[in-house]
């Protein structure tokens, strides 16, 4: 079935199709309409899930984790400050090896207040031990959310999984979305199995004090599981294509006109489509450039990336997120993966709008820089008419 | 009710815990086992009890335990009982938290879960300070007590969780003391058969934070009740019952002198005459409010 729906509606539908048992909910813009839709679905009797209206995001993850370790499929969603407030529990969920799913509709982090899109909230959880995917369309948000339950519950993984999507740009924009049938999803996503359940019958306990050596082994095992989850994700992705024949999940990340390209652009999320249009225009002008869209932050697809980008003359990485003082997180990851010259561009923060013209401008300028072997490693790009930005610190005005 | 404790077998506490000698939390845990039987899962919030279980992957608690970060106990238990219900299990879910995890850092999630009337027993083991991190003051520390962050003696009164929880209109609120096992076991058993949020606060005097000899834990826990510093009461669906052990507290003249309680403890070493009067005023206030509840 096809429907014109927003990213948030697509996620709510995915949760319904996955037959989730417990949902911990707490509102925060721009994620809120996911949980509102789930509450409406509950009222209409379309989902049997327990919808728990908690008093904070910390508790939203607490409820979700409590349900997950007690043997039921569980889900929550958040954004920005909410994710940061939940941060402690995000780590606790991974350390508990609890299969569960969370969607993050990304948004800038305060202070100052800003409700618009930026991926820093999502990216700041990359060390926490979760499987992390990022969607580029409402369709992908739906597909990845359904797949997330399979990946998370796979015995070779057993870790929580987070699906990101750009706040407002995807969460609130309606597009044509193909919705797989309940029968297909049921076949794809069998009833939950997990090796350990907190239950008087199984007598499992978790989370008490571990000695240094044993603690380190546990962290190591999470690392190994994330690395080896690449094959699981590809396998599940191929299987998912039966549900949505138009989809392509054979690989973790996505290549566009890359094979014969001398230069490559790296992006993540919704603006990848704008960047693809810029690539098309540059191709028409005879510039040999392609695009690489990162869909998975964790696992980090080192082999896929080296194969795709290892021989390029220059790679331009666009980050809608910051690791302040070091540029963007994607840039840092890419720099640690390939030997090719890598330039990082930080832009689009706090909802600054970046279009295909901006991509065209930055990409063509950067390729010139690569040719003359002189480029700034990290550039902060402001779009449009803004040529020169004056930055003040509190101190400089005293 | 008469009850031979010796005959009550439970697996709540296995041999080999890493509790300190004279630990009141182990006493309370044994009583939980006697009262609730074996069909129990437990959420343990950060505190002494995270350590008492011993070194993972082994565990000296016989119940299945989800150990969890400070502020998440009530939330995790909310998710747990709902998951267990979906799996058609009649298991009792118990949150076990200290006074720090209850009165301070965990209060938001406790209050939220109580307001939603989630179906579990919340057990606060109140040793009146952050004992696991070395005895720093908590919201539940009484006036005048010396702690490692109030070396001058605390200047504020104890936060009254009993009344705060009553104001949440939950089906069951009770206080107990490890000095009176029968009373605590009775209350736990009654709580077990009530549906909804049940809050029980147990006074657990800590020899190392309160500074008394570890052989006297039960004695101090009794004195707290006899001197009326600690009430044994129960409020079930608005019916207020003061336990027999505390009935004498309703009249000021029948109370045992408060000095009998404070003089045994090193934490009151800086207690001035003024501080002592403040503590006595607190006890008066406590029983005034309880008397009003009974009207």
């Amino acid at each position: 079935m096809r429907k014109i729906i927003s990213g948030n509606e697509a996620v709510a539908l995915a949760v319904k199709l996955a037959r989730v048992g417990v949902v911990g909910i707490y509102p925060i813009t721009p994620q809120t309409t996911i949980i509102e839709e789930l509450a409406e679905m509950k009222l209409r009797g379309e989902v049997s899930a327990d919808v728990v209206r908690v008093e904070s995001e910390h508790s939203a993850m607490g409820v979700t984790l409590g349900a997950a370790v007690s043997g039921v499929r569980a889900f929550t969603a958040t954004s920005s400050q909410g994710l940061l407030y939940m941060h402690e529990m995000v780590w606790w969920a991974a350390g508990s090896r609890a299969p569960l799913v969370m969607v993050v509709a990304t948004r800038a982090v305060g202070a100052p207040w800003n409700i618009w899109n930026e991926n820093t909230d999502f990216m700041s959880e990359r060390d926490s031990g979760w499987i992390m995917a990022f969607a580029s369309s409402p369709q992908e948000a739906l597909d990845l959310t359904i797949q997330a339950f399979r990946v998370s519950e796979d015995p070779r993984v057993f870790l929580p999984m987070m699906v990101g999507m750009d706040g407002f740009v995807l969460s609130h924009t309606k597009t044509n979305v193909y919705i797989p049938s309940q029968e297909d999803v049921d076949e794809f996503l069998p009833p939950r199995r997990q090796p350990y359940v907190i239950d008087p019958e199984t007598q499992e306990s978790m989370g008490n004090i571990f000695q240094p050596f044993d603690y380190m082994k546990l962290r190591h095992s999470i690392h190994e599981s994330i690395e080896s989850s690449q094959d699981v994700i590809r396998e599940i992705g191929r299987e998912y294509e039966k549900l949505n024949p138009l989809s392509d999940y054979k690989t973790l990340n996505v290549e566009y006109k890359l094979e014969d390209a001398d230069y490559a652009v790296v992006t993540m999320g919704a603006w990848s489509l704008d960047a693809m249009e810029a690539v098309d225009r540059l191709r028409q002008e005879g510039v040999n450039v392609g695009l690489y869209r990162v869909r998975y932050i964790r696992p980090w697809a080192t082999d896929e990336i080296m194969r795709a980008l290892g021989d390029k003359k220059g790679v331009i990485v666009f980050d809608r997120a910051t690791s302040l003082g070091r540029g963007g997180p994607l840039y840092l990851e890419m720099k640690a993966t390939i030997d090719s010259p890598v330039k990082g561009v930080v832009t689009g923060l706090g909802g600054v709008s970046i279009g295909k013209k901006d991509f065209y401008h930055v990409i063509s300028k950067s390729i010139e820089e690569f040719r003359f072997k002189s480029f700034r490693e990290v550039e902060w790009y402001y779009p449009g008419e803004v040529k020169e930005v004056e930055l003040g610190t509190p101190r400089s005005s005293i | 009710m008469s009850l031979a404790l010796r005959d009550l077998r439970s697996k709540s506490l296995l041999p080999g815990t890493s509790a300190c000698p004279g630990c009141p939390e182990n006493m309370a845990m044994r009583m939980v086992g006697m009262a609730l039987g074996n069909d129990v899962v437990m959420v343990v919030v950060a505190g002494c009890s995270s350590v008492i279980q011993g070194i993972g992957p082994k565990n000296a608690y016989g119940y299945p335990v989800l150990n969890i970060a400070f502020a998440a106990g009530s939330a995790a238990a909310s998710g747990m009982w709902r998951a267990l219900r979906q799996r058609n299990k009649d298991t009792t879910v118990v949150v076990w938290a200290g006074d720090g995890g209850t009165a301070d850092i965990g209060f938001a999630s406790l209050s939220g879960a109580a307001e939603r009337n989630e179906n579990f027993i919340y057990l606060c083991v109140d040793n009146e300070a952050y004992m696991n991190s070395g005895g720093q003051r908590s919201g539940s520390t009484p006036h005048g007590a010396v702690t490692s962050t109030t070396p001058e003696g605390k200047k504020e009164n104890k936060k009254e969780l009993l009344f705060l929880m009553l104001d949440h209109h939950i089906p069951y609120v009770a206080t107990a003391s490890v000095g009176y096992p029968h009373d605590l076991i009775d209350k736990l058993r009654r709580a077990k058969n009530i549906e909804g949020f049940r809050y029980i606060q147990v006074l657990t005097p800590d020899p190392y934070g309160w500074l008394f000899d570890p052989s006297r834990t039960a004695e101090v826990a009794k004195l707290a009740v006899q001197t009326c510093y600690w009430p044994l009461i129960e409020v079930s669906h608005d019916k207020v019952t003061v336990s027999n052990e505390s009935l004498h507290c309703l009249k000021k003249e029948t109370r045992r002198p408060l000095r009998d309680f404070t003089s045994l403890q090193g934490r009151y070493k800086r207690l001035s005459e003024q501080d002592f009067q403040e503590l006595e005023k607190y006890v008066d206030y406590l029983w005034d409010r309880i008397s009003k509840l009974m009207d």
Side-chain angles (χ1 to χ4, degrees), chain A residues 76-367:
Chain A
T76 189
T78 192
S79 300
S80 182
Q81 309 301 127
L83 182 59
L84 267 60
Y85 194 58
M86 187 194 278
H87 180 68
E88 182 189 25
M89 297 311 295
V90 170
W91 283 67
W92 204 274
S96 306
R97 301 295 299 254
L100 56 88
V101 174
M102 170 162 69
V103 166
V104 177
T106 58
R107 162 181 157 183
V109 167
W113 285 117
N114 179 305
I115 61 160
W116 295 284
N117 183 30
E118 178 183 325
N119 306 149
T120 305
D121 51 356
F122 180 83
M123 295 300 270
S124 72
E125 295 295 351
R126 66 195 185 280
D127 297 336
S128 62
W130 285 54
I131 307 291
M132 297 172 74
F134 204 90
S136 67
S137 64
Q139 179 71 61
E140 214 172 50
L142 179 138
D143 295 345
L144 287 172
T145 305
I146 293 174
Q147 289 173 55
F149 288 101
R150 255 299 282 280
V151 173
S152 170
E153 291 168 19
D154 190 288
R156 293 162 291 179
V157 181
F158 282 134
L159 282 169
M161 178 159 165
M162 201 181 291
V163 177
M165 67 171 155
D166 293 276
F168 293 115
V169 180
L170 295 184
S171 67
H172 285 63
T173 306
K174 298 200 179 206
T175 59
N176 193 345
V177 175
Y178 176 82
I179 302 156
S181 71
Q182 184 68 61
E183 296 74 47
D184 283 354
V185 176
D186 285 344
E187 199 179 321
F188 173 77
L189 193 59
R192 183 182 178 89
R193 289 170 303 149
Q194 66 193 76
Y196 40 80
V197 180
I198 298 271
D199 185 320
E201 271 171 47
T202 58
Q203 283 299 313
E204 296 283 350
S205 282
M206 52 176 79
N208 56 323
I209 286 196
F210 273 59
Q211 296 280 35
F213 199 83
D214 291 322
Y215 175 86
M216 185 163 163
K217 283 199 301 189
L218 284 180
R219 304 317 276 186
H220 193 173
S221 76
I222 293 177
H223 169 80
E224 292 286 324
S225 297
I226 294 177
E227 287 240 302
S228 63
S229 70
Q230 292 187 46
D231 290 335
V232 180
I233 290 166
R234 283 189 278 261
E235 182 188 308
I236 289 170
R238 272 193 299 275
E239 217 184 297
Y240 186 81
E241 289 173 14
K242 274 185 255 166
L243 274 65
N244 178 358
L246 292 172
S247 66
D248 179 5
Y249 293 100
K250 286 182 202 64
T251 51
L252 270 70
N253 300 329
V254 182
E255 297 182 22
Y256 181 70
K257 297 186 175 173
L258 255 191
E259 212 151 284
D260 62 334
D262 294 327
Y263 300 95
V265 178
V266 175
T267 54
M268 183 181 92
W271 68 3
S272 305
L273 282 82
D274 300 300
M276 280 156 76
E277 288 195 39
V279 164
D280 287 345
R281 185 172 152 200
L282 284 157
R283 280 269 174 179
Q284 277 165 13
E285 292 171 7
V287 183
N288 252 354
V289 63
L291 180 134
Y292 191 74
R293 175 161 71 83
V294 175
R295 191 158 54 189
Y296 277 86
I297 289 294
R298 292 289 181 274
W300 183 250
T302 306
D303 292 344
E304 278 188 22
I305 292 166
M306 281 173 71
R307 246 188 336 266
L309 303 174
D311 62 344
K312 302 303 175 205
K313 291 178 185 162
V315 175
I316 311 144
V317 184
F318 284 88
D319 266 290
R320 195 159 216 159
T322 54
S323 171
L324 292 171
R326 285 293 281 150
L330 259 189
Y331 155 75
L332 291 169
E333 294 279 8
M334 210 45 88
K335 188 104 170 122
T337 311
I338 52 175
D339 291 328
S340 318
V342 181
K343 173 182 174 170
V345 181
V346 174
T347 189
L349 301 187
V352 164
S353 180
I354 298 295
K356 58 187 176 187
K357 278 185 189 160
D358 298 300
F359 279 110
Y360 174 83
H361 170 73
V362 177
I363 296 167
S364 46
K365 189 183 82 157
S366 302
I367 288 174

Side-chain angles (χ1 to χ4, degrees), chain B residues 244-273:
Chain B
N244 289 341
E245 292 85 348
S246 284
L247 277 175
H248 67 286
C249 299
L250 287 166
K251 280 194 192 132
K252 198 170 176 177
E253 51 279 18
T254 48
R255 290 177 202 160
R256 187 170 172 175
L258 191 57
R259 289 262 185 229
D260 291 356
F261 174 63
T262 54
S263 61
L264 270 181
Q265 304 168 47
R267 65 171 171 164
Y268 289 120
K269 65 187 169 197
R270 299 251 153 80
L271 206 65
S272 65
E273 194 45 47

Side-chain angles (χ1 to χ4, degrees), chain B residues 68-211:
Chain B
I68 205 150
F70 247 133
S74 299
S78 306
M80 272 181 134
W81 83 262
R82 287 158 188 274
L84 289 163
R85 180 177 65 179
Q86 292 200 2
R87 294 172 56 225
N88 297 316
K89 303 232 171 197
D90 198 22
T91 303
T92 304
V93 178
V94 177
V95 174
W96 176 283
D99 49 300
T102 304
D104 299 342
I105 191 168
F107 190 72
S109 67
L110 164 68
S111 176
E115 182 265 331
R116 296 191 302 275
N117 198 24
E118 302 278 355
N119 188 26
F120 58 83
I121 299 176
Y122 189 103
L123 204 73
C124 169
V125 282
D126 184 2
N127 52 25
E128 305 196 319
Y130 300 151
M131 293 309 181
N132 188 45
S133 47
Q136 298 80 17
R137 114 199 248 288
S138 81
S140 190
T141 302
H143 181 94
V146 168
T147 70
S148 57
T149 48
T150 54
E152 72 283 11
K154 194 187 170 196
K155 296 297 175 219
E156 302 80 24
N157 270 319
K158 185 179 171 77
K159 189 189 277 190
E160 261 324 316
L161 283 160
L162 166 65
F163 302 124
L164 281 169
M165 293 318 291
L166 282 175
D167 283 342
H168 282 74
H169 311 293
I170 48 180
Y172 190 81
V173 177
T175 56
S177 159
V178 288
Y180 293 97
H182 294 84
D183 179 67
L184 172 56
I185 291 169
D186 269 357
K187 284 170 176 165
L188 282 163
R189 285 188 172 165
R190 274 197 292 280
K192 188 187 171 174
N193 294 318
I194 294 170
E195 204 163 306
F197 198 95
R198 291 143 282 167
Y199 177 83
I200 303 177
Q201 190 170 350
V202 189
L203 189 72
T204 49
D206 175 354
Y208 307 94
W210 296 18
L211 304 172

Side-chain angles (χ1 to χ4, degrees), chain B residues 272-289:
Chain B
S272 65
E273 194 45 47
Q274 202 187 342
D275 288 330
F276 184 76
Q277 282 168 12
E278 188 63 41
L279 258 187
E280 281 194 313
K281 263 194 341 216
Y282 165 80
V283 172
D284 292 344
Y285 153 83
L286 193 68
W287 286 100
D288 278 354
R289 269 196 83 170

Side-chain angles (χ1 to χ4, degrees), chain A residues 24-42:
Chain A
I25 67 171
Y26 193 77
I28 181 169
T29 303
Q31 158 276 140
T32 308
T33 52
I34 298 177
I35 57 147
E36 285 175 348
E37 180 63 22
L38 285 168
E40 288 282 340
M41 283 174 174
K42 173 80 181 171

